[in-house]
Amino acid sequence: MDLNYLCAHQLHKLLKDKQVKSVEILDSIARRIHDVDQKLNCYITKTLDLAQEQAEQCDKKIARGEDIGYLAGIPVGIKDNMCTKGINTTCSSRMLRNFQPVYDATVISRLKSEDYVLTGKLNLDEFAMGSSSENCFFGSAVKNPWDTDRVAGGSSGGSAATVAAGDAICSLGSDTGGSVRLPASFCGVVGMKPTYGRVSRYGLIAFASSLDQIGPITRDVRDAAIMLNALCGYDKKDSTSIAEPVPEYTQYLTQGLKGLKVGVIDELSLEGIESDEKSGLDRSVALLKEMGAEVETVSLPSLKYALSVYYILSASEASANLARFDGVRYGWRDKKAESLREMYRKSRSQGFGEEVKRRIMMGTYCLSAGHYGAYYEKARKVRTLIIQDFNDAFLKFDVLVSPTSPSTAFKVGERTKDPWRMYMTDKCASPANLAGLPAISIPVGLSGEGLPIGFQIMADILREDLVLKAAYNLEQALQFKHRPKL
Ligand code: GLN
């Protein structure tokens, strides 16, 4: 049995029934990491010694007959922009290449209390800025396990590729404008962004604070629900954390779809969408109808501005958030500078990569006195219009759907010289961040070239239940069982 390809809920059952030990699961994951990670470049830091200790502890607990949580003994990888106490947290940047946080992010504390097993810290676009995981300080781009000439998607490319390749059971990514869902769709796995505020951002190194949200990447929808239950909940250390009770998400999965009102968003499903994604959408919609859902198309006119609004707001927030990396308290410092000003300038010029500098400059421009009204302020207003369009649509529909991305995974290097083309990759995913909505991507088939196609389901704020229910039913109907031949 390939333990490293099972889902967390399947492994949980095997662990509870004492048919397998956590150390055996870890062993099969560690072997797989050894075999494939050099080709994929998913891991920046492997923590297999720590993982061994955690797995042994979990096995002891089981042997003593203690009750264990769903994630106990399960090998999980973490995107390297979430703080792990005493373990390098680099954001794939020279700026933080040796940074060891003195505290754990809230999500890490939560997973620890579930007795998870940490396999390591996963590669990403520097400071989570990118759609392809090519902006990496450590080694080359993350490669797609389905075709290593192609990108894994970004910015949580390591988190998605590692789950697809079988060298972690599940992982955490962060999603500011699609970075959990997009790589999940490129790599043929499930990626979920919860409602903004559902999962604490404490200890997530900030990119754009009004958009950032942590989410799970898993092999199936049940595992996504299980991970959500481990992650969600109020945290006083995050001022935007939502203080609402968290339901048991798995209870909704098996409810049927009869009467569910589904809206297919015109603005995200027609223009600029390639034929494979369109056929993935058509097939999924046909299945939803067969299962009793009522499907109609819907127009959200303001979404045509969403990508521009996203890039103005995210760059503006990034320019403010990244101001803290000045070479003084932590991070890269130019040691030869002769004045304070020169030290700031040189440390930041050397410490950040090209794309991060591009965002800082765009954002600073949008926030600057002469341009604030034309860019930042206007983008804020259009964001409100986008939220209103979603609110109107949710008066009529339970869930809204679209492809996750305009295309399947593209070739490494194909879009790096053309930032606008790269940014277009986020067309379908970024609106959910602007409105703070929960959204999932699930694999719905393979293209003619054998690459996974993703399908996106969104719902109103705090309606993760609807997203998960629709995704689970579709997953059952599709039975997507393909695996990369790596
Ligand atoms: N691709 C988008 C960007 O580069 C989204 C990134 C993210 O969600 N972290 O901004």
Side-chain angles (χ1 to χ4, degrees):
M1 187 173 14
D2 280 347
L3 291 176
N4 55 318
Y5 272 113
L6 295 182
C7 295
H9 59 88
Q10 295 165 324
L11 290 167
H12 173 71
K13 194 163 178 322
L14 293 175
L15 282 166
K16 273 195 93 149
D17 295 348
K18 301 205 169 83
Q19 284 177 288
V20 75
K21 287 192 167 140
S22 176
V23 288
E24 290 166 346
I25 303 171
L26 179 63
D27 191 48
S28 97
I29 291 286
R31 266 186 281 125
R32 184 73 181 154
I33 294 177
H34 179 266
D35 291 344
V36 299
D37 196 52
Q38 264 184 349
K39 286 183 223 150
L40 298 176
N41 200 23
C42 291
Y43 279 86
I44 293 178
T45 305
K46 298 177 197 104
T47 53
L48 294 172
D49 290 341
L50 167 69
Q52 180 70 25
E53 271 171 44
Q54 290 174 320
E56 283 169 12
Q57 288 302 327
C58 175
D59 285 337
K60 281 187 195 146
K61 240 184 171 173
I62 296 170
R64 287 196 299 266
E66 286 177 38
D67 210 20
I68 54 162
Y70 274 115
L71 294 173
I74 304 295
V76 181
I78 304 289
K79 186 176 183 179
D80 206 19
N81 62 350
M82 295 172 215
C83 288
T84 39
K85 187 174 174 181
I87 298 169
N88 276 12
T89 299
T90 69
C91 280
S92 204
S93 180
R94 169 182 281 144
M95 185 56 91
L96 292 178
R97 77 200 192 298
N98 293 322
F99 173 56
Q100 291 201 340
V102 292
Y103 66 96
D104 278 326
T106 295
V107 287
I108 301 295
S109 314
R110 282 181 163 264
L111 291 176
K112 272 187 179 167
S113 68
E114 296 265 326
D115 297 313
Y116 88 135
V117 171
L118 174 66
T119 53
K121 302 298 291 290
L122 298 166
N123 212 345
L124 64 151
D125 284 299
E126 185 177 2
F127 282 96
M129 295 175 195
S131 312
S132 61
S133 299
E134 291 171 286
N135 307 328
C136 305
F137 176 65
F138 299 94
S140 59
V142 180
K143 305 288 170 23
N144 193 311
W146 295 81
D147 174 355
T148 51
D149 288 335
R150 291 179 189 265
V151 300
S155 62
S156 314
S159 303
T162 200
V163 174
D167 56 6
I169 301 300
C170 38
S171 65
L172 289 190
S174 65
D175 192 314
T176 304
S179 278
V180 162
R181 290 160 287 151
L182 182 77
S185 87
F186 279 12
C187 294
V189 289
V190 173
M192 170 122 189
K193 182 195 94 68
T195 303
Y196 179 79
R198 225 3 170 165
V199 176
S200 170
R201 290 181 293 110
Y202 178 74
L204 167 68
I205 297 178
F207 164 8
S209 308
S210 79
L211 301 157
D212 296 341
Q213 188 62 191
I214 292 169
I217 296 183
T218 55
R219 297 226 170 89
D220 72 358
V221 176
R222 182 173 291 278
D223 272 6
I226 288 170
M227 285 283 270
L228 278 196
N229 268 110
L231 301 170
C232 291
Y234 176 69
D235 179 14
K236 65 175 184 314
K237 294 182 192 142
D238 172 358
S239 61
T240 59
S241 178
I242 297 176
E244 289 282 327
V246 181
E248 172 57 51
Y249 288 118
T250 50
Q251 69 178 308
Y252 304 107
L253 302 178
T254 48
Q255 295 176 355
L257 298 189
K258 201 161 170 34
L260 187 84
K261 297 203 170 45
V262 179
V264 183
I265 302 181
D266 270 346
E267 286 74 10
L268 306 184
S269 307
L270 301 169
E271 209 185 304
I273 307 295
E274 292 186 3
S275 59
D276 284 326
E277 322 305 303
K278 280 191 182 151
S279 50
L281 174 73
D282 291 344
R283 197 166 348 117
S284 309
V285 162
L287 283 170
L288 290 170
K289 276 189 193 156
E290 267 175 39
M291 291 185 285
E294 294 161 22
V295 188
E296 268 177 57
T297 57
V298 55
S299 173
L300 281 70
S302 62
L303 285 193
K304 57 176 171 293
Y305 307 114
L307 199 60
S308 310
V309 169
Y310 167 75
Y311 271 93
I312 292 172
L313 294 180
S314 63
S316 302
E317 293 184 30
S319 97
N321 272 327
L322 271 60
R324 74 191 62 164
F325 301 103
D326 55 7
V328 176
R329 284 156 295 185
Y330 43 72
W332 178 266
R333 176 188 295 180
D334 176 81
K335 300 238 169 55
K336 292 195 213 92
E338 288 178 356
S339 67
L340 183 63
R341 222 174 176 25
E342 191 187 339
M343 197 270 287
Y344 286 155
R345 187 168 52 77
K346 287 200 166 157
S347 301
R348 287 170 67 78
S349 307
Q350 296 158 11
F352 292 133
E354 217 174 283
E355 181 60 25
V356 173
K357 284 191 252 193
R358 182 180 292 124
R359 304 286 177 108
I360 293 175
M361 285 190 284
M362 283 197 307
T364 308
Y365 181 85
C366 293
L367 291 173
S368 61
H371 304 287
Y372 182 89
Y375 293 101
Y376 182 74
E377 197 179 30
K378 180 154 299 156
R380 292 273 307 242
K381 288 180 180 161
V382 181
R383 182 181 191 175
T384 304
L385 296 178
I386 291 170
I387 293 170
Q388 277 167 5
D389 272 1
F390 272 114
N391 286 344
D392 290 346
F394 287 125
L395 292 175
K396 185 159 175 211
F397 297 100
D398 299 307
V399 296
L400 298 172
V401 301
S402 76
T404 308
S405 80
S407 72
T408 50
F410 46 88
K411 290 255 166 72
V412 174
E414 194 182 298
R415 300 190 185 175
T416 38
K417 294 281 168 284
D418 186 351
W420 183 243
R421 190 141 174 254
M422 183 71 88
Y423 297 169
M424 285 300 287
T425 315
D426 309 327
K427 176 187 164 98
C428 307
S430 53
N433 300 76
L434 291 170
L437 309 174
I440 200 167
S441 174
I442 64 165
V444 293
L446 294 181
S447 70
E449 293 172 303
L451 298 169
I453 300 171
F455 176 72
Q456 174 173 238
I457 305 171
M458 296 169 255
D460 203 356
I461 280 177
L462 292 177
R463 295 312 303 268
E464 277 80 2
D465 57 321
L466 293 173
V467 171
L468 289 164
K469 173 170 97 165
Y472 180 84
N473 279 271
L474 189 54
E475 178 184 68
Q476 295 303 306
L478 282 159
Q479 292 295 323
F480 179 89
K481 294 274 182 249
H482 306 278
R483 250 193 231 168
K485 292 184 194 62
L486 184 72

